[in-house]
């Protein structure tokens, strides 16, 4: 076996013991959880791939920072440190702390969408879509068509379809569009990168029509690593320089610090416009807390200031993306279909192809996630029709463009043998794929239902 593989640029100082349940125990646990993996207790999970959000391992430097955190209500030391760090890395003049990515969306999106009808993105992440809708607007996705063919190689499957974007602006009217959002990497399309060229082009289209351009920046570092690998203009640039080019002239950004900034909790908002920033500060005080802590404790802010820097270290990113490439290579060998080339934070298994006999309204990607738990105690999640939910106007089940079972890899947490367990489990499941059944929803809330809905197997 020949794999593109970069070893860990760290060693392990503290370990967390894991329990492995039997198959019978797991059958009982998943039934008790009403076949919703979010309802499983983490102690009943062996390898937790539910998300890479807030699940990373902090470095010894970050843990040392935890002790230095200043818990003052106003003007804490760590506040100035993170401001300085964020200005240096992203280059926007105004930065606001909030407690996570969706808090950033809750604070900022209603400001941008006031009196507007639409937000357009390469692809809205689920919480972003929810906050666009809560602000009374509709969220439109506009990813390049290459993203829809999971077997096709394309360097930047996360890109905005700029031709279609222009068409949308013409049809919907620029005055009705509050914001154009570039999600980097494009999470819902499979953690797929967006090129700096595409970011520039999208930004120019937005500005030509007087529309604000925002970056959903959760994975700014992983995106920049792909840019360095694949975009000739940047092959000799540092990751920091690529991050700068990415954020150049963006009007604002929202960020979940729980991803590339490698902290367990945190979020950021960045703005270029002073008037918008004044509104951001006011809303932050109402929803998150005083502006110098924004819903975070001082120790977490200190760890964030350090994580922002560690996240753009090139050796770390080589290892990080290398883990995805290793797992992807093993799956390819085993004939498991996935969004290819593999993205930055997860392998997105193509459940539509692996379980072609299960229709979208019986949630093939959810069915595969449940099988992974039964097979090896692995917790993955559905990024497909089950997650997408119902049409807010008609209440009917929507059909997602993809039926992905996402294997999100936490940062600096699992070893290569864990990755082998995951690959072997999927290969075993493939052998009995034809016997796997779909699921139906028996109870669901109206918004973000995938977190709490109850399901039952279809006989
Ligand atoms: C995680 C994520 C969010 C939301 O962030 P939280 O910290 O989970 O609230 C928004 N957008 C993208 C692209 C994300 O990956």
């Amino acid at each position: 076996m020949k794999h593109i593989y970069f070893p860990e640029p760290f060693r392990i100082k503290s370990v967390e013991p894991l329990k492995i349940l039997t198959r019978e125990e797991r059958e009982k646990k998943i039934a008790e959880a009403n076949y919703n993996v979010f309802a499983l207790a983490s102690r009943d999970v062996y390898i937790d791939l539910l998300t890479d959000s807030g699940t990373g391992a902090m470095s010894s430097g970050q843990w040392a920072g935890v002790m230095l955190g200043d818990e003052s209500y106003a003007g804490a030391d760590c506040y100035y440190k993170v401001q300085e760090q964020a200005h240096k890395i992203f280059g926007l003049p105004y930065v606001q702390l909030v407690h996570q990515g969706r808090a950033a969306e809750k604070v900022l999106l209603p400001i941008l969408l006031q009196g507007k009808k639409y937000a357009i993105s390469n692809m809205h992440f689920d919480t972003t879509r929810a906050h666009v809708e809560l602000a009374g607007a509709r969220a439109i996705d506009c990813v390049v068509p290459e993203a829809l063919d999971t077997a096709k190689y394309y360097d930047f499957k996360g890109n905005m379809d700029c031709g279609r974007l222009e068409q949308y602006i013409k049809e919907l009217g620029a005055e009705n569009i509050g914001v154009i959002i570039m999600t980097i990497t494009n999470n819902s399309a499979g953690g797929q990168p967006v090129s700096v060229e595409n970011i520039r082009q999208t930004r120019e289209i937005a500005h030509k029509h007087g529309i604000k351009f925002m970056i959903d920046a959760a994975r700014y570092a992983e995106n920049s690593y792909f840019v360095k690998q694949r975009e000739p203009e940047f092959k000799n640039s540092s990751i920091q320089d690529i991050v700068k080019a990415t954020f150049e002239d963006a009007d604002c950004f929202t960020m979940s610090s729980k991803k590339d900034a490698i902290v367990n909790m945190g979020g950021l908002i960045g703005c270029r416009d002073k008037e918008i920033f004044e509104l951001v500060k006011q809303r932050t005080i109402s929803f998150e807390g005083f502006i110098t802590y924004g819903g975070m404790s001082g120790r977490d802010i200190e760890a964030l200031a350090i994580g922002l820097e560690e996240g753009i270290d090139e050796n770390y990113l080589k290892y990080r993306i290398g883990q995805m490439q290793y797992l992807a290579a093993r799956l390819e060998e085993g004939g498991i279909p996935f969004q290819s080339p593999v993205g930055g934070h997860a392998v997105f298994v193509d459940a539509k192809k692996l379980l072609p006999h299960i229709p979208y309204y019986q949630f093939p990607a959810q069915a595969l996630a449940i099988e992974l738990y039964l097979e090896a105690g692995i917790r993955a999640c559905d990024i497909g029709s089950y997650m997408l939910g119902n049409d807010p106007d008609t209440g009917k089940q929507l059909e997602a463009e993809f039926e992905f079972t996402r294997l999100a890899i936490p940062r600096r947490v699992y070893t290569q043998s864990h990755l082998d367990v995951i690959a072997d489990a999927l290969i075993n499941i493939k052998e009995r794929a034809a016997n796997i059944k779909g699921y139906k929803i028996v109870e669901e809330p109206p918004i973000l239902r995938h977190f709490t809905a109850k399901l039952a197997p279809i006989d």
Side-chain angles (χ1 to χ4, degrees), residues 53 100-102 105 125 127-128 183 187 216 218-219 256 258-259:
S53 178
Q100 65 182 105
R102 71 199 68 187
E105 293 161 357
F125 181 65
T127 62
T128 320
T183 309
N187 188 344
D216 180 349
R219 297 182 182 80
S256 170
K258 302 168 69 172
K259 321 291 176 42

Side-chain angles (χ1 to χ4, degrees), residues 352-424:
K352 208 190 274 189
K353 280 196 187 142
L354 195 64
L355 305 172
H357 57 289
I358 303 179
Y360 72 92
Y361 50 85
Q362 293 178 4
F363 314 124
Q366 175 70 9
L368 181 58
I370 292 164
E371 286 307 310
L372 268 168
Y373 180 71
L374 292 172
E375 178 71 27
I378 296 163
R379 175 156 66 173
C381 75
D382 172 293
I383 305 275
S385 297
Y386 172 60
M387 186 186 90
L388 185 59
N390 300 320
D391 186 307
D393 295 323
T394 66
K396 271 186 67 176
Q397 173 66 50
L398 293 163
E399 180 175 2
E401 307 212 66
F402 311 107
E403 302 292 346
F404 286 139
T405 303
R406 187 181 72 174
L407 314 172
I409 310 292
R411 292 169 181 77
R412 308 189 289 207
V413 170
Y414 292 116
T415 64
Q416 192 169 339
S417 27
H418 287 117
L419 301 182
D420 284 328
V421 171
I422 301 162
D424 291 340

Side-chain angles (χ1 to χ4, degrees), residues 49 52 101 144 260 295 311 401 433:
L49 309 181
D52 65 317
V144 288
D260 278 3
E401 307 212 66

Side-chain angles (χ1 to χ4, degrees), residues 110-179:
I111 298 171
L112 303 176
L113 290 169
Q114 192 175 24
K116 307 283 181 177
K117 291 188 184 141
Y118 304 99
I120 305 178
S121 175
N122 50 343
M123 278 185 101
H124 293 83
F125 181 65
D126 57 351
T127 62
T128 320
R129 175 178 298 278
H131 279 291
V132 166
E133 286 170 6
L134 286 167
R138 287 280 172 269
I140 297 172
D141 288 343
C142 189
V143 73
V144 288
E146 285 83 354
L148 307 186
D149 181 353
T150 61
K152 182 173 174 175
Y153 185 91
Y154 189 65
D155 277 338
F156 292 103
K157 280 186 168 179
N159 278 1
M160 183 81 80
D161 182 340
C162 287
R164 197 144 60 96
L165 176 64
E166 288 268 27
Q167 217 171 315
Y168 274 132
I169 295 171
K170 214 160 123 194
E171 281 164 22
L172 305 171
E175 68 284 4
N176 294 318
I177 302 166
V179 60

